[in-house]
Amino acid sequence: MTVGGEQLLFVRQLVQRKTAIVLGEDKGYLVDSRLSSLARDLGHADATTMLDHLRKKPDLALEQRVLEAMTTNETLWFRDRAPFEALRQHVLPELARSGAGSRQLRIWSAACSSGQEIYSIAVLLEEHFADRFAGWKIDLAGTDFSVEMVKRASEGLYSTLEVNRGLPAASLVRHFDREGANWRLKPSIRSRARFWRMNLVEPWAPMPAWDIVLLRNVLIYFDIPTKEKVLRAASRQMAPGGYLLLGGAETAVGICPELVPEKIGDATFYRLEGREQ
Amino acid sequence: MKALVVDDSRAMRSILSRLLRKAGVDHIAEAADGCEAIACLDDDDLPDIALVDWNMPNMNGLELVGALRGRPEWRRITILMVTTESEQGQIVRALAAGAHEYLIKPFEEESLFDKLAILGFHQPVQGDSTNDFAHN
Ligand SMILES: C[S@@+](CC[C@H](N)C(=O)[O-])C[C@H]1O[C@@H](n2cnc3c(N)ncnc32)[C@H](O)[C@@H]1O
């Protein structure tokens, strides 16, 4: 039996309530294929049996697995390239100057998936900024709704298909060790980043202010009021003079006026309105 | 933009050629090994990029890379190795010999576009594969 009707509605409402992800009514096939493989993994006869189980009595662990199965985790190294070029050429040199007093650099990947985004920054820092940030306190953080993704990111273990995606070969051989069919990030990079679970649509626990916030390819799944709420919260988490980066198909324009777009190189960053120059 | 695809598998050559066309490359030549590749190079009409397999008869990919780096006229050809050789040491060897990038087979379509972007040839196709749930 396939997931449909009332059960589909149940899943869509659960996903929207807990993650704010808006699942179109036409996504029945996706719900069905993703939950069928989860049901198989967990030893349920099929997806409908698993959902019946969940609807009868609350089971937070199962609920989390269902929610995680419904999120898209696709990510890659140096995604879209231009933002990372801009970080290398303009943003990081600027932060090296402006932060010379405190000698602290804080960067947060707010929906980090399996970690490629924040580790791309770690690779950039290692390859191009080792001297300029020598002796600095550098805090690289990644958070995600998914427990599974947080675990994967912390492990820093990637398949060949994953290292093929956007990672220059010279960086691959320099920063990874082959481990069976996979590739493990060397401790020199892996130890630079820390990861924890965080749901962007629930109240945020206290955090430091970040010099760079990467909030990429996650707002696309939210409705406008949720986008606004998350952007507001992110703007409050930016250090003075900080930078916010969104995904290629995302914008804060018309949603969060305190965030002002600024074209840097070939990428668009957002800065806080009225910040001191 | 011109490309040369060097692979002893006809099926692989046609996959790579199709992807290159999708990436906007209009002139594509194919060769089944290093010797054929060298034979088809015309100094007045050199390819911008060569996609080079490793294991081929007659002249293998690593030897071809060496040959392409050995002659000044050919040095402006960008080289992307596309091969099942996936040992770290092999990748290091290919880069040291003069390959610019390296793609491990089997690969996903997008990863070839990613490599072309790294090499400065092409902006990655803005796929909507992550937008399964996007609602706008
Ligand atoms: C497509 S990935 C983007 C990864 C990376 N930022 C990038 O641009 O490549 C989207 C990620 O957002 C996470 N996510 C979805 N809803 C979330 C929420 N409410 N709070 C935190 N993370 C969420 C998913 O688990 C997934 O890992």
Side-chain angles (χ1 to χ4, degrees):
Chain A
M1 227 171 66
T2 60
V3 179
E6 228 184 286
Q7 281 201 324
L8 181 57
L9 186 65
F10 167 76
V11 174
R12 290 177 53 225
Q13 287 175 343
L14 178 69
V15 168
Q16 175 145 23
R17 194 167 68 245
K18 293 291 167 96
T19 67
I21 295 174
V22 181
L23 268 178
E25 268 172 79
D26 54 340
K27 299 295 184 201
Y29 70 94
L30 229 147
V31 172
D32 196 66
S33 79
R34 292 194 179 174
L35 292 188
S36 296
S37 69
L38 176 64
R40 225 174 303 123
D41 289 353
L42 298 180
H44 293 275
D46 56 22
T48 54
T49 328
M50 179 177 73
L51 289 173
D52 278 342
H53 184 80
L54 187 58
R55 290 173 72 187
K56 260 186 230 121
K57 70 174 197 354
D59 179 341
L60 284 178
L62 178 57
E63 183 182 284
Q64 176 72 20
R65 294 294 296 267
V66 167
L67 292 169
E68 291 192 11
M70 296 315 305
T71 60
T72 299
N73 303 117
E74 183 177 323
T75 187
L76 60 141
W77 300 89
F78 299 97
R79 188 171 194 161
D80 301 335
R81 305 211 67 74
F84 291 91
E85 256 324 284
L87 286 169
R88 184 176 71 77
Q89 291 186 18
H90 307 288
V91 174
L92 288 167
E94 172 55 31
L95 290 171
R97 279 190 293 274
S98 62
S102 66
R103 295 165 74 81
Q104 288 193 2
L105 178 67
R106 293 208 155 92
I107 305 178
W108 174 37
S109 165
C112 64
S113 189
S114 35
Q116 284 90 327
E117 184 167 85
I118 196 69
Y119 285 135
S120 295
I121 302 244
V123 165
L124 203 61
L125 289 172
E126 177 81 14
E127 293 184 353
H128 299 280
F129 295 91
D131 291 344
R132 256 177 290 183
F133 290 116
W136 284 46
K137 179 181 184 307
I138 295 187
D139 186 6
L140 304 182
T143 63
D144 200 279
F145 167 79
S146 159
V147 176
E148 170 69 17
M149 287 303 125
V150 168
K151 182 164 154 268
R152 283 214 51 209
S154 317
E155 283 167 353
L157 186 66
Y158 298 97
S159 69
T160 296
L161 289 181
E162 289 171 319
V163 298
N164 262 344
R165 298 245 22 220
L167 183 68
S171 302
L172 172 65
V173 292
R174 178 165 164 194
H175 303 297
F176 290 75
D177 291 313
R178 192 64 196 268
E179 199 174 296
N182 298 316
W183 298 81
R184 169 92 65 186
L185 258 177
K186 289 198 160 91
S188 52
I189 299 289
R190 190 154 39 103
S191 64
R192 285 175 161 235
R194 57 200 181 103
F195 298 92
W196 67 94
R197 179 175 182 271
M198 173 176 166
N199 189 339
L200 292 169
V201 301
E202 281 171 4
W204 295 10
M207 277 195 287
W210 305 95
D211 298 299
I212 302 172
V213 175
L214 304 146
L215 179 63
R216 308 182 69 210
N217 302 298
V218 63
L219 292 181
I220 36 167
Y221 306 113
F222 300 159
D223 61 17
I224 304 264
T226 311
K227 287 187 215 274
E228 182 183 348
K229 231 168 48 198
V230 173
L231 281 168
R232 281 252 145 73
S235 72
R236 284 194 295 269
Q237 224 43 69
M238 288 161 69
Y243 298 79
L244 170 72
L245 191 61
L246 302 179
E250 296 161 335
T251 181
V253 174
I255 302 178
C256 186
E258 53 264 51
L259 289 168
V260 182
E262 183 176 321
K263 184 122 176 139
I264 303 179
D266 288 327
T268 299
F269 288 77
Y270 291 85
R271 318 287 306 273
L272 290 174
E273 187 202 35
R275 85 202 136 78
E276 287 169 31
Q277 295 297 319
Chain B
M1 178 172 160
K2 281 190 200 63
L4 171 62
V5 174
V6 192
D7 199 303
D8 59 341
S9 151
R10 181 200 298 261
M12 184 51 67
R13 288 199 302 273
S14 80
I15 290 173
L16 290 170
S17 295
R18 178 176 61 77
L19 291 177
L20 286 169
R21 273 192 296 276
K22 204 165 153 184
V25 180
D26 33 19
H27 291 72
I28 302 167
E30 295 184 6
D33 62 47
C35 288
E36 268 192 27
I38 298 276
C40 82
L41 288 178
D42 168 0
D43 279 1
D44 297 325
D45 193 23
L46 290 172
D48 302 287
I49 186 170
L51 274 51
V52 178
D53 183 21
W54 190 308
N55 297 300
M56 297 179 291
N58 304 318
M59 180 194 279
N60 73 30
L62 193 66
E63 291 162 341
L64 175 59
V65 171
L68 291 176
R69 289 298 88 125
R71 192 160 171 264
E73 290 80 355
W74 293 343
R75 275 190 207 141
R76 64 171 197 80
I77 303 173
T78 298
I79 304 174
L80 168 59
M81 295 287 289
V82 185
T83 166
T84 51
E85 288 293 331
S86 63
E87 288 307 316
Q88 202 150 356
Q90 299 290 71
I91 302 176
V92 172
R93 271 176 82 195
L95 296 178
H100 297 91
E101 263 302 335
Y102 201 102
L103 182 60
I104 304 169
K105 292 177 189 167
F107 58 89
E108 299 166 305
E109 277 195 13
E110 292 79 12
S111 53
L112 178 66
F113 302 139
D114 296 338
K115 290 292 176 186
L116 293 177
I118 290 176
L119 293 166
F121 280 110
H122 171 76
Q123 290 311 301
V125 185
Q126 288 288 327
D128 59 353
S129 48
T130 63
N131 294 9
D132 277 348
F133 295 160
H135 53 90
N136 33 12

